[in-house]
């Protein structure tokens, strides 16, 4: 395995030859889903590992040269280092079985990636899906490369005021402590490319993140070559300024394509995760025309036949649409270069339901990709209906949109101790068979005590994590006692805990459970069978209604009548999510039907034995068996009726089951449902099942077509 290039990796301090591989592991996110990798860095210094926020680069930078040298004399550490480095080396060299025939290389474009909290370039579910796809592709040995944005200002760090209002604080990425590397050009300088068709010129530098065997390249316009306005293109996710957002998407799609060209990375399959990077389709047409001498129509057809478009939107109004004048300003020379006129160019993005509305990025992706998918069965039906007029077919069922229901990368979201138990009962090769339902039948061999003790351990860990965050905030800022109560200082691990953690926006109805506060008071303060509710999630900086919902939740958490049994955990992200999905007893989801395209947080909870309680939207109609969680509400959402159904479910089903103990003082009925949850969800909603479906439905058919002609 090649050593580190010091000019590309200035973040890693100089390491002795005996442990030089420690830097390679620190700069590859493989360790984030490998328990042995995490334990290796913990052995370096347990206290500094915790203080670094589990960031191995920060950890190594905090050690003196002598402390680093002492590691080589520590026999326990060196034995573990050699073992983990051998695991890492073997992993990077292995070609795991994923198909009888190798698919052609895949370029995966997405506006955000949720990988680890040391790289805050994500806002929510879309990013974590993209991150899990890269991780699973690495595990399977798929020939994939990712393209995205650096976002040097990261996403907004959530700060809740004492009045419950969300205040934003941009958290700048510290590139010297993040697991990122400079991509170097042939002269050894940090690679910078000019993005075509933006005047005055815009330049982007290129960074790389190692996600196991998969390389993720990130674009960053915050460089000296650019004017201040242009430097801001990649500052943050989803800017509300539509002109700047269009420029951002030009950089992502066209600039991202040019990066791959500059690096000499050839790929045959283009996979777009949502419409944000869709301009890569036009750039691919240009490349076929100019590099391979194709005619325009042949190039368009070639792009269509080798491109995949994944849509996550359940509403036409949720798509990016740019007015025609704005498009003309940036693309007039571009369509001439492609051999098109304005009308033909614009036609690719015109929505037949709103032809004067502008250039629609989702319509563009649907028209220019032969392979299209929604992210759950229900979302497929919704998507076919809302986009049926884009296609020359009659009726929603004939709209050529397939589905691949999302899945989650198991090793990222399962608790390490639970993984150890799975290794024991399923066999060490279970990860390579994770999508097979029958192997999960052995979950029945996990006895009640083991399951409950594991869950209680995660629950205590979650409560301690939340309390420690409040303690630190109190020590640093001297917060009001009501704020401390609202942020979870009075949580009790012995109380039935319901968690609601996701983006704070109206259609997700975060405050539905607070619809009738008198009934909530009765539920949470039941003397013999109390309940506590934990909320977490960010509102988009421009989403005022979402901020107002969040404020109502926070004020309820401050209300003394609930006795500290409602809490809001500030600054929800990947790290907080892992504590919550493992530590809560119930995972609540109640979107307006059919607004949830899929939703993966409930999957992450369910594979850990946290029971899902949801309206029948997104993935839950596929996942719900009647024995692995609860469903409530009707086919048409109604706040009053749904809240009443939720309260009835909690009081009549959830609470009695949780608090009914057997002679061993264990909730045997609850534990049975936990087993059923793990058995039914882990295989059907694993990242492996998801990626094998992408292979079968899209990647392999494209590969066979390309190879045959």
């Amino acid at each position: 395995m090649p050593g580190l290039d010091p000019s590309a990796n200035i973040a890693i301090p100089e390491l002795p030859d005996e442990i030089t591989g420690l830097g390679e592991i620190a700069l590859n996110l493989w360790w984030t889903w490998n328990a042995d990798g995490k334990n290796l860095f913990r052995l370096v210094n347990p206290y500094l590992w915790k203080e670094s926020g589990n960031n191995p680069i920060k950890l190594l930078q905090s050690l003196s040269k002598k402390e680093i040298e002492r590691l080589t004399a520590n026999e326990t550490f060196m034995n573990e280092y050699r073992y983990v480095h051998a695991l890492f080396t073997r992993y990077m060299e292995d070609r795991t079985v994923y198909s009888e025939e190798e698919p052609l290389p895949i370029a995966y474009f997405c506006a955000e990636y949720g990988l680890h909290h040391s790289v805050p370039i994500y806002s929510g579910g879309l990013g974590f899906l993209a991150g899990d796809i890269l991780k699973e592709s690495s595990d399977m040995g798929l020939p994939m490369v990712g393209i995205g944005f650096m976002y040097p200002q990261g996403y907004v760090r959530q700060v809740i005021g004492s009045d419950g209002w969300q205040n934003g604080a941009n958290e700048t990425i510290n590139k010297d402590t993040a697991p990122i590397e400079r991509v170097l050009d042939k002269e050894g300088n940090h690679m910078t490319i000019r993005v075509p068709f933006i005047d005055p010129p815009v330049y982007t530098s290129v960074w790389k993140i190692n996600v196991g065997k998969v390389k993720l390249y990130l674009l960053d316009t915050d460089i000296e070559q650019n004017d201040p306005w242009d430097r801001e293109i990649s500052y943050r996710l989803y800017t509300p300024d539509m002109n700047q957002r269009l420029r951002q998407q030009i950089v992502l799609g066209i600039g991202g394509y040019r990066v791959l060209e500059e690096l000499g990375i050839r790929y045959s399959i283009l996979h777009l995760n949502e419409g944000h990077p869709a301009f890569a389709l036009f750039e691919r047409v240009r490349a076929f025309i100019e590099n391979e001498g194709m005619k325009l129509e042949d190039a368009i057809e070639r792009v269509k036949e080798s491109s995949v478009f994944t849509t996550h939107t359940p509403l036409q109004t949720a798509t990016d649409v740019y007015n025609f004048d704005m498009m003309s300003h940036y693309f007039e020379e571009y369509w001439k270069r492609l051999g098109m006129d304005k009308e033909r160019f614009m036609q690719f993005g015109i929505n037949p339901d709103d032809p004067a509305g502008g250039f629609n990025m989702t319509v563009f992706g649907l028209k220019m990709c032969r392979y299209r998918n929604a992210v759950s069965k229900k979302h497929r039906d919704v998507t076919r209906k809302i986009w049926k007029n884009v296609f020359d077919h009659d009726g929603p069922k004939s709209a050529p949109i397939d589905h691949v229901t999302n899945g989650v990368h198991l090793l990222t979201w399962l608790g390490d101790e639970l993984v150890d138990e799975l290794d024991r009962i399923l066999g060490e090769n279970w990860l390579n068979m994770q999508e097979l339902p029958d192997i999960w039948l052995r979950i029945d061999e996990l006895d009640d005590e083991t399951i409950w003790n594991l869950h209680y351990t995660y629950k205590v860990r979650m409560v301690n994590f939340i309390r420690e965050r409040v303690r630190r905030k109190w020590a640093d800022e001297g917060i009001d006692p009501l704020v401390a109560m609202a942020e979870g200082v009075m949580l009790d691990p012995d109380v039935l805990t319901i968690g609601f953690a996701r983006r704070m926006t109206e259609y997700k109805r975060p405050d539905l459970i607070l619809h009738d506060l008198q009934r909530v008071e009765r539920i949470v303060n039941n003397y013999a069978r109390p309940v506590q509710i934990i909320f977490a999630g960010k509102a988009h900086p421009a989403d005022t209604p979402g901020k107002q919902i969040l404020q109502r939740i926070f004020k309820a958490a401050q209300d003394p009548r609930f006795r500290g049994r409602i809490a809001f955990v500030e600054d929800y992200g990947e790290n907080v999510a892992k504590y919550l999905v493992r530590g809560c007893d119930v995972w609540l989801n109640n979107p307006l039907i059919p607004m949830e395209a899929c939703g993966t947080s409930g999957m992450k909870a369910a594979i850990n034995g946290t029971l899902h309680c949801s309206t029948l939207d997104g993935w839950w109609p596929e996942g719900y068996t009647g024995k692995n969680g609860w469903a409530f509400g009707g086919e048409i959402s109604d706040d009053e009726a749904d809240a009443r159904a939720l309260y009835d479910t909690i009081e009549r089903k959830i609470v009695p089951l949780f608090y009914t103990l057997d002679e061993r003082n264990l909730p045997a009925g609850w534990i049975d449902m936990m087993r059923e949850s793990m058995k039914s969800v882990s295989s059907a909603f694993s990242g492996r099942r998801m990626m094998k479906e992408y292979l079968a439905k899209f990647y392999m058919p494209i590969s066979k077509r390309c190879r045959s002609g």
Side-chain angles (χ1 to χ4, degrees), residues 91 94 122 135 186 190 236 311 339 439 455-456 462 471 481 491 505 508 522 635-636 643 670 690:
Y91 175 88
D94 266 358
Y122 55 85
K135 293 174 183 178
K186 295 176 182 177
H190 192 180
R236 61 186 67 87
T311 176
I439 72 162
H455 177 64
Y456 190 72
M462 173 188 72
R471 185 196 68 78
L491 292 174
T505 192
K508 292 182 181 287
R522 188 176 81 199
E635 293 182 7
I636 300 175
W670 189 276
M690 171 178 63

Side-chain angles (χ1 to χ4, degrees), residues 129 136 140 374-376 403-408 410 431 433-437 598 600 603 619 622 681-697:
L129 170 70
E136 195 63 53
M140 295 171 68
V375 289
S376 69
H403 82 281
V404 174
T405 301
N406 289 340
V408 297
L410 296 188
L431 279 169
M433 302 182 289
Q434 61 184 265
E435 77 280 9
L436 304 178
C598 183
T600 55
M603 301 174 190
W619 74 282
E622 297 171 59
V681 175
S682 299
S683 61
F685 300 96
S686 68
R688 183 63 51 89
R689 187 275 312 156
M690 171 178 63
M691 294 313 296
K692 284 201 168 184
E693 280 197 31
Y694 275 117
L695 272 166
K697 291 185 175 184

Side-chain angles (χ1 to χ4, degrees), residues 33 38 42 97 148 214 244 254 262 292 335 379 429 440 464 557 581 603 627:
W33 69 88
K38 286 178 273 190
R42 190 179 294 111
V97 175
V214 172
Q244 192 74 314
I254 295 178
E262 189 71 21
E292 299 187 25
W335 69 60
H379 181 232
N429 198 39
W440 294 92
N464 288 342
V581 298
M603 301 174 190
K627 299 177 182 179

Side-chain angles (χ1 to χ4, degrees), residues 385-404:
K385 185 175 181 179
I386 64 175
W387 298 116
K388 63 181 179 180
N389 292 330
V390 171
F391 307 99
D392 297 325
H393 297 272
D394 296 324
K397 289 188 178 180
S398 61
I401 300 173
D402 207 329
H403 82 281
V404 174

Side-chain angles (χ1 to χ4, degrees), residues 256-265 267 283 286-287 291:
Y257 190 98
R258 287 296 176 93
V259 166
L260 294 180
E261 278 195 322
E262 189 71 21
L263 291 170
I265 296 174
Y267 65 92
E283 185 63 0
R286 179 205 61 76
N291 299 342

